[in-house]
Amino acid sequence: MPKAQQDAYQEFIKGLWRDNPVFVQVLGMCPILAVTNSAVNALAMGGATFFVLVTSSFLVSSLKRWIPRQVRISTYVIIIATFVTVTDFALQALVPQIHKELGAFIPLIVVNCMILGRQEAFASKNSVRLAVVDALGMASGFLFALFALGGVREILGEGRFFGIDLFGPEFEPWVIMILPPGGFLTLGLLLLFFSWVKERKEQLAERLADMQGEPS
Amino acid sequence: MSNLVWIFVSALLINNFVLSYFLGLCPFLGVSGKLETSFRLGLATVFVMLITALCAWFLNTYILIHAPYLRLISFIVVIASTVQFIEMLIKRLSPHLFKALGIFLPLITTNCAILGLAIFSTNKGYGLAQGMIYALGAGLGFTLALVLMAGLREESELAPVPRLMRGTALNLIIAGILSMAFMGFAGLFSAA
């Protein structure tokens, strides 16, 4: 792979896994928990955030030379708010049912700290191409996290996945999982799982290094 | 009158902003390490929320009827600048109060609970009095959740918790249990 392409690939993977905005950086919590009571809602929310993040990263990165440093944060917020308004109206027109379920949480994408964080930390300092790739990676990571949470909560809370019955009529749904406490508990356990995986990986690498160090 | 009481209790306990709407989670998880700090942050939030309610009512009544598509942008810009302005004013008039609310004021402005408050009370069509009461309830509810969380976290510092569990994972699970407890309030007004 040529170097430029490899860099772009690294930026993409970083958002999706190693620096996953939800599981590793714990950013943008509010929308994550509020709308992930079913897989469909989670996907819609993830898609909306995806669009906003990618378009605002693109715009911020293209305009970075003309944005004065002192008012940069307010400029980013206005750019983000514009795209969120666009998304809000688009969803209302295209999928009114989902728009109604997500309700006030679509406008709240504006204050998702992950989006503003990417503008400040990455898009305002890098080329347009890298900024878009970074946004794509972060947004995919966010979408993945939302989907994981929404999936787990729907399966346990209703015994269904995308509205398809999974366990038959005997299954007693854990209603708590689709209620607010379930959101906190599921995210807590998923975070625990991710730090466990990371720990295992580090231990494995250590053992591997030990084995290579010793002459056999 | 009973309507106002209902709005207050509902925002304070039953539909607690943090524990059932998941708004303002960043400070809830980030700043709830110490009891003292979280109480101050809570008070500062109540203050900003009252200003927000006032701004939102003003914008909705006089400006946004003509241009509803500007709602989001104008909320953010107006609320942020008003808070900034009032912060400067307080610094001049009462250094003591400024010290108590301190650095939290500008931070809170970008808190999702603030924008959430403006949007929710717009969606519910609240007037000025209702909006202010709603803001007061929501702010005190936020403070209550934050202080409870800080107390629990101070206790859990000393508990023998597995190392992997420490940090955000444990805090989220504590929050989950707290949220479960708050669900009990849902029956409070069902008869009324």
Side-chain angles (χ1 to χ4, degrees):
Chain A
M1 243 190 290
K3 191 172 175 309
Q5 211 173 344
Q6 204 173 357
D7 279 354
Y9 176 74
Q10 282 297 328
E11 294 302 338
F12 183 76
I13 284 300
K14 171 192 77 183
L16 195 58
W17 188 259
R18 206 182 59 233
D19 286 333
N20 186 297
V22 178
F23 293 134
V24 181
Q25 302 181 36
V26 204
L27 284 178
M29 309 291 280
C30 317
I32 296 174
L33 291 166
V35 297
T36 51
N37 45 14
S38 78
V40 176
N41 284 356
L43 272 187
M45 187 67 190
T49 313
F50 192 99
F51 172 76
V52 174
L53 180 54
V54 173
T55 44
S56 12
S57 269
F58 173 74
L59 203 61
V60 165
S61 178
S62 337
L63 295 178
K64 60 177 178 284
R65 217 171 302 158
W66 293 282
I67 298 176
R69 258 200 84 70
Q70 296 84 350
V71 293
R72 64 185 195 289
I73 301 283
S74 356
T75 318
Y76 301 159
V77 170
I78 291 174
I79 290 175
I80 296 169
T82 312
F83 283 116
V84 171
T85 311
V86 170
T87 316
D88 193 21
F89 283 119
L91 282 178
Q92 199 168 12
L94 296 173
V95 277
Q97 190 57 44
I98 290 180
H99 182 267
K100 213 171 144 197
E101 269 188 51
L102 295 182
F105 288 99
I106 298 270
L108 284 177
I109 296 176
V110 179
V111 276
N112 187 332
C113 26
M114 178 197 71
I115 297 183
L116 191 61
R118 285 336 283 169
Q119 311 310 329
E120 169 72 4
F122 202 92
S124 57
K125 291 179 195 133
N126 286 286
S127 69
V128 177
R129 204 177 61 95
L130 272 186
V132 169
V133 170
D134 169 77
L136 282 173
M138 282 290 162
S140 313
F142 191 73
L143 189 66
F144 162 66
L146 275 174
F147 184 64
L149 258 171
V152 169
R153 285 178 72 185
E154 192 181 358
I155 290 171
L156 293 178
E158 299 193 59
R160 285 183 300 185
F161 191 56
F162 280 113
I164 301 161
D165 236 312
L166 286 181
F167 304 111
E170 262 97 278
F171 180 72
E172 183 70 41
W174 306 7
V175 181
I176 193 82
M177 293 312 271
I178 50 171
L179 294 173
F184 285 117
L185 295 178
T186 315
L187 185 59
L189 293 177
L190 277 175
L191 281 179
L192 192 60
F193 173 73
F194 269 77
S195 53
W196 179 73
V197 168
K198 207 174 145 203
E199 174 109 346
R200 279 299 293 264
K201 229 166 142 186
E202 272 164 21
Q203 278 176 355
L204 220 65
E206 228 167 74
R207 215 174 299 161
L208 219 63
D210 277 356
M211 265 158 55
Q212 276 166 354
E214 287 167 18
S216 50
Chain B
M1 193 59 213
S2 70
N3 187 21
L4 290 184
V5 174
W6 161 237
I7 289 175
F8 180 74
V9 176
S10 158
L12 178 69
L13 295 174
I14 302 166
N15 291 319
N16 187 290
F17 262 44
V18 181
L19 295 172
S20 73
Y21 285 156
F22 305 107
L23 292 173
L25 279 182
C26 305
F28 180 64
L29 295 172
V31 197
S32 59
K34 281 217 177 70
L35 212 57
E36 169 78 29
T37 340
S38 46
F39 184 64
R40 274 195 200 167
L41 176 74
L43 286 189
T45 309
V46 173
F47 181 73
V48 177
M49 276 187 166
L50 287 174
I51 299 171
T52 305
L54 203 64
C55 290
W57 173 80
F58 178 80
L59 284 172
N60 277 329
T61 334
Y62 292 106
I63 295 169
L64 295 178
I65 355 174
H66 308 298
Y69 49 87
L70 283 180
R71 201 175 78 177
L72 210 49
I73 298 179
S74 58
F75 274 173
I76 289 233
V77 173
V78 171
I79 291 167
S81 34
T82 313
V83 171
Q84 205 107 87
F85 178 70
I86 289 181
E87 191 198 351
M88 286 191 274
L89 211 67
I90 293 179
K91 200 175 179 180
R92 264 286 160 77
L93 297 177
S94 158
H96 189 71
L97 184 64
F98 180 75
K99 223 173 160 189
L101 302 179
I103 50 160
F104 295 127
L105 278 181
L107 283 180
I108 294 166
T109 321
T110 51
N111 178 336
C112 35
I114 303 299
L115 188 64
L117 177 89
I119 291 169
F120 282 135
S121 66
T122 311
N123 285 354
K124 289 180 178 167
Y126 283 161
L128 181 59
Q130 289 164 318
M132 294 302 271
I133 293 289
Y134 186 58
L136 190 65
L140 290 178
F142 178 82
T143 314
L144 181 66
L146 206 64
V147 167
L148 282 176
M149 185 69 185
L152 287 171
R153 271 180 71 174
E154 280 187 356
E155 290 291 318
S156 76
E157 287 285 302
L158 302 171
V161 181
R163 191 172 49 83
L164 266 183
M165 192 74 186
R166 287 191 178 279
T168 323
L170 179 66
N171 295 341
L172 279 168
I173 288 167
I174 294 178
I177 296 167
L178 209 57
S179 161
M180 241 188 273
F182 267 66
M183 274 176 63
F185 289 120
L188 202 61
F189 269 76
S190 59

